[in-house]
Amino acid sequence: MGLEGFFNPKSVAIVGASHKKGKVGHEILTNMIKSGFAGQIFPINNKAEAIEGLKCYPDLKSIGKVPELVVVVIPAPAVPAVMQDCAKMGVKSVIIITAGFKEVGKEGAEIERQVVRIAKQAGIRVIGPNCLGVIAPANRVNASFGGELPKTGAIGYISQSGALLAAILDMANANGIGFSKLVSIGNKADVDELDVIRALAEDKETKVIAGYLESINNGNAFVRLAEQISTDKPLLLVKAGVTSAGAKAASSHTGSLAGSETAYECVFERAGIIRCTSIQQQFDFAQAFAYQPVPSGPNVAVITNAGGPGIMAADAIEQQGLTFAKLSDETVKKLAAKLPPAANLYNPVDVLGDALADRYELALGAALDDPKVDIVLVLLTPQAMTEAVPTAQAIVKIAHQKRDKPVLACFLGATKIQDAIRILREGGIPQYESPESAVATIKAMHDHVRWLRRPKRIVKMFPVNRRKVEAIIERHLRQQMREIGEADSKEILEAYGFLTPRGSIATTAEQAANIAGQIGYPVVLKIWSPDIIHKSDVGGVKLGLRNDHEVMDAFDLMMYRVAKKMPDTEILGVLVQEMCKKGREVILGMHRDPHFGPLMMFGMGGIMVEVLKDVSFYLAPLTEEEAKQMLMATRTYQILKGVRGQESVDIEVIAEGLQRLSQLVTEFPEIKEMDINPYMVGPEGTIPIAVDARISVERV
Amino acid sequence: MGLEGFFNPKSVAIVGASHKKGKVGHEILTNMIKSGFAGQIFPINNKAEAIEGLKCYPDLKSIGKVPELVVVVIPAPAVPAVMQDCAKMGVKSVIIITAGFKEVGKEGAEIERQVVRIAKQAGIRVIGPNCLGVIAPANRVNASFGGELPKTGAIGYISQSGALLAAILDMANANGIGFSKLVSIGNKADVDELDVIRALAEDKETKVIAGYLESINNGNAFVRLAEQISTDKPLLLVKAGVTSAGAKAASSHTGSLAGSETAYECVFERAGIIRCTSIQQQFDFAQAFAYQPVPSGPNVAVITNAGGPGIMAADAIEQQGLTFAKLSDETVKKLAAKLPPAANLYNPVDVLGDALADRYELALGAALDDPKVDIVLVLLTPQAMTEAVPTAQAIVKIAHQKRDKPVLACFLGATKIQDAIRILREGGIPQYESPESAVATIKAMHDHVRWLRRPKRIVKMFPVNRRKVEAIIERHLRQQMREIGEADSKEILEAYGFLTPRGSIATTAEQAANIAGQIGYPVVLKIWSPDIIHKSDVGGVKLGLRNDHEVMDAFDLMMYRVAKKMPDTEILGVLVQEMCKKGREVILGMHRDPHFGPLMMFGMGGIMVEVLKDVSFYLAPLTEEEAKQMLMATRTYQILKGVRGQESVDIEVIAEGLQRLSQLVTEFPEIKEMDINPYMVGPEGTIPIAVDARISVERV
């Protein structure tokens, strides 16, 4: 299943190699040659004797050997025949560079299907079509038309856009950034992002996996794999194509609050993927993860030779929620002994504008030795006396001596610092354009460490009545009913351990008063109709009725008014229900993402939920820890904990409610959307009541 | 008051000119010479005959002429004598480069005071001390040690950090970015940010004023000047030093919700200042404002030769709240006629990977001609066929032909596009590192246009009883009482046209019941003590009491419990107050910033305000429009407008309340902090009630 045949082939055939400059078939051939590839290269071209000094072959079969990698650069319609040759010869790895397949329409898609069919039968792995190719610097493989072979480095890159990869390569080469492997996956006819990420995870040279993706093929497998890999190798992704579209016709609150971004945010959080907002930021992050240890805490020390950038760094540290390290007395003493009197000995350590390399060396050493410092950021502005190059060398030296804490640099300027920056890069010290981008990188590292240290995921299973729910859902699906009514919803909730309010349906005012008498006052009336989704919008809810008269009046008024407002609606009656004791209203919800499955939601309930949007999402199934995290991620949590002398509610039982709901929707993929709203929670020791619920189902 | 003497002097004397390389006195001299300065340069050095081929003078007097500008680079203690010479000779402009003044302590501060005294008496303007100097490229003036003279351009730059300016200069020179003037203001002993901004506003070469500031000397003058200038010239600032400190001991909600950033945010919004989060972003923005027209609407068209970057641009446009332009049918037809069939004719227009310059030219022309397009962003990735340089030339040509809409470029890569980028810059087309930074710039331009189009500011004045408030405040100040009690607060509110609930103080349970009987049930009891700020925290508020018994029980319980909880507190009695009709609780507040004066606040009221933090701030005095904007800036506004069938409240009257409060705190600078919380607002047609208020005062 590995992609070794692409990354480290002993021989490469290029079908469609050309002697015409500017042609892709020429560029790939010359890129392979110029890279210093140690194996054999076979140009395949039936019109030429030799290209660039290499003997040409009219077709694959005439080589007389089996090339380990075949790169195809001929028009799409001719590709299936080449694939047949590969299959017959036993070729195992094929890159199809050519465009004109699935992306151009029906005919192309049919050719692509043929290619895949041949490949699957013969056990050939195919990268592409419609891609830029594959690059493996350490093996001197540049089977691409992306540009010059980059330096060897620790970043493995996967891109769904070939043109973007070419631009990245150009930028990286200009800045001396190295890669372990670069793969352009194009149409993903066979090899997809999962295969490449898996291969990079197994690749010893790759320390960081970075990528640009527009779509993800297999959501669940992706989450599982990414979560597993992130533990060893940071996964840095730019995910494009977030533009909203879906979620418009959602009937639940959860559905309408879950934007197109929500699922990806949940997936990235769960799997520990580090999301980057731009390619620039991705390389900012990648440098640090690839060449520096991760920090063991949030305490940042800053060393600078100018006040301004120091202040900018301090601002950024505060804004990112990191901690500005308080240097230990010992460190301050060390600095005081060696730095001039005007120097600032506290954080940011200002070694002053006339600092030579020695002051930086001293300050960096002292900061790294300080147990109260977890990360050091070194700032430099090029001033009259500044020794940029010796300072860079000193930083590299000290950072290598004390390897346990990350050191980042931000040398400001351009021409005056360019040699210094080269030294930093070669020494594995990430260099940033601005204090802000350096601090954003520190924040990403810190967040990743928190993810790495998360508690083990144990999903609790509650004893439930699964059969009962199965029967209700099955009945609805059989009858093609997509919304589950209040009575059935209540049964489902009870089957999964939720408490629901007592009540019955009344069809006359007198009946309503009777039921109310049995339940005990006060009661609530709710209109009873399969067609009405949001009852309070149409005046279909009346709270706090205190006696027979009020109940009968409310019944008649409701029947009259709702019928008048919605003349075509079937009204089955009115639900007379126990009035829940005073408490806080929260919402527990679920929205099923088509790619990644159930997204759980928690937030302030009642009519405020869509206005205040104080909600949090997480991917099911939930652990107890995750359920609690969801609560804590909202401002509602502060209210639940009790503000201004009000009683606090029972946080544990709300978290349990979320876990029970998570179990329900995980066990029943037929449940498409669901809200428990309001979920009425009282003070500690009381059990919350699922007052109302919306459940919609569909056949899976 | 202008700074012409610094920007365009006919002669320059350099006191402390040196022949030693690396010395600041040498660097400034050679920078002046190398820049091609047309006037006379007089090095002042009593140990040398000549430096760099220029005759040296032992002191200023021996020149025999009056130099228009004197640059001082000698140690601080010797500077006052030089200032004396300048005063005697009639020199009008002095730059003091040297450090060792205020920033190093008492002695330095004393020398600085001497310098300022001499300058004020003689009418000399002084820039510095402790600064990098002044640069005016068009006049070939480089009176600085910041580096080479940059290109002439339209950006005026002011910096409070010399070292940062040197780094900026190095970056700008490497990227061919030009400036009109650069000024390093150092310690701001005389010339401060206001003087420089005013001078740049009057400077014809300057089209954009950009700056890095750490502090602002005169808040009110700054706001007024900035607001006036922003109408003509965009003002782009990086404001550093935001790290929080204050606002910890605030006793009002408004005070504790106003962070250290709030005042600057309000000032920037009011004055139309464009805030930049980093120097990089500042130059991103400055390029566009300096060389492109502002957009007349939010509709962005994107032209690209690759899908990936197009998607990234589309994502950024959506995330920034801009509009992805829908091209007109005519434009689509034009494109269809000339572009290949596989091209995407809709937005983003994909001219395909093999596009030469002609397709870009066609697409850009068509997009700029489209009335549904306000801005065009051109993306390019360097692919095999790409003509980066001719494409850049075509963009410059078309953009110059059709000058009314902004055109921005984002050429991705490095080496392969560097010549093209030079052409773009020289042609006034701003070039961006990433689609995201280009779109962030478009957003800044769009926001600025909205600010420019804001309605004229007319602050309404309400007829009020100012005398009464004066008397109450005066009495409190005389008695050194900082908090105004409930009864006086009520009078102040009523004097400014607020309605307050009826009520009186009771000292016995029977008295309480009597008062309640007069007001009419239900009533509220509130503990009455000058020492208790948050009554509900100590159980000092009891709502909805419905009869004599309830009132008497509540009275006794409150007296007993509060006294037990706070034994050292003086309790004067209990306020018996009318229970306000059901309504929405909002908060109107004011926090006085030490630099910028009263910041008005609006938000959801009651106990939730500090938890939900759904508040908005604005600088007083408020116009009607601004008061409404404050309401609309909160999510609470949605609730007030009525959600889910609930009645909407009267928005106009809340806005009026904010304006009345704004008038009160503007007329009384003694009011330091103030909350009206809750401000109980009912349905349209009803008048809100200021239920409770906190006012603290101090002598000004």
Side-chain angles (χ1 to χ4, degrees), chain B residues 357-431:
Chain B
D358 61 334
R359 286 193 208 154
Y360 271 102
E361 185 170 338
L362 170 85
L364 177 57
L368 286 172
D369 284 338
D370 191 328
K372 291 181 173 176
V373 171
D374 300 308
I375 309 119
V376 183
L377 171 59
V378 185
L379 307 175
L380 177 143
T381 52
Q383 301 184 48
M385 311 274 286
T386 306
E387 299 178 333
V389 166
T391 303
Q393 287 161 339
I395 293 170
V396 170
K397 187 181 80 181
I398 299 290
H400 277 252
Q401 282 168 9
K402 307 172 195 286
R403 302 194 134 270
D404 58 332
K405 292 176 187 175
V407 176
L408 284 74
C410 170
F411 281 29
L412 293 160
T415 315
K416 291 177 180 177
I417 51 153
Q418 66 187 9
D419 293 336
I421 288 177
R422 218 192 48 245
I423 289 163
L424 290 172
R425 283 214 205 283
E426 284 167 3
I429 303 293
Q431 143 71 15

Side-chain angles (χ1 to χ4, degrees), chain A residues 37-68:
Chain A
F37 179 59
Q40 278 186 288
I41 303 174
F42 308 109
I44 311 293
N45 180 324
N46 58 10
K47 281 174 197 150
E49 287 285 302
I51 306 174
E52 299 284 327
L54 290 178
K55 180 179 187 307
C56 267
Y57 300 85
D59 51 34
L60 284 170
K61 288 165 290 182
S62 25
I63 299 175
K65 293 190 188 179
V66 181
E68 288 199 5

Side-chain angles (χ1 to χ4, degrees), chain A residues 170 241 315 414 537 612 635 644, chain B residues 170 241 315 414 537 635 644:
Chain A
D170 192 24
D315 286 349
D537 285 1
L612 294 176
R635 279 171 299 190
R644 288 281 148 94
Chain B
D170 192 25
D315 286 350
D537 285 2
R635 279 170 298 191
R644 287 281 151 93

